[in-house]
Amino acid sequence: MLRSRLYELELAKQQQAVGADRRSQVGTGDRSEKIRTYNFKENRVTDHRIGLTLYQLDKVMKAIWTS
């Protein structure tokens, strides 16, 4: 009986550690985690990682699809 309780406690501890590790690796999907924003009405693309905004979305899209 004691052995099974100790096993269950150790198993729960391992599952919590794995769960915490997964949660730290997976994003929440919030808008703040976006890499790029494409705004077709304003012909604008913004790369949030480097803080670059270009008002040449048509040229960017053309370069992406022709490469």
Side-chain angles (χ1 to χ4, degrees):
M1 188 113 157
L2 178 61
R3 182 180 293 169
S4 71
R5 285 188 183 175
L6 290 174
Y7 174 76
E8 289 175 5
L9 286 172
E10 187 63 30
L11 185 62
K13 188 191 306 183
Q14 288 177 354
Q15 288 175 343
Q16 284 179 343
V18 169
D21 191 36
R22 278 192 186 149
R23 283 188 296 276
S24 71
Q25 292 177 11
V26 176
T28 61
D30 290 340
R31 290 182 72 173
S32 62
E33 293 181 346
K34 280 188 171 181
I35 295 172
R36 283 187 204 93
T37 301
Y38 300 95
N39 187 314
F40 291 93
K41 289 183 180 181
E42 296 178 11
N43 197 32
R44 173 174 47 95
V45 60
T46 301
D47 190 319
H48 300 284
R49 295 173 296 178
I50 60 174
L52 176 67
T53 299
L54 297 173
Y55 289 90
Q56 300 173 349
L57 178 58
D58 53 343
K59 292 179 184 177
V60 171
M61 295 300 282
K62 187 176 182 179
I64 290 172
W65 289 106
T66 57
S67 59

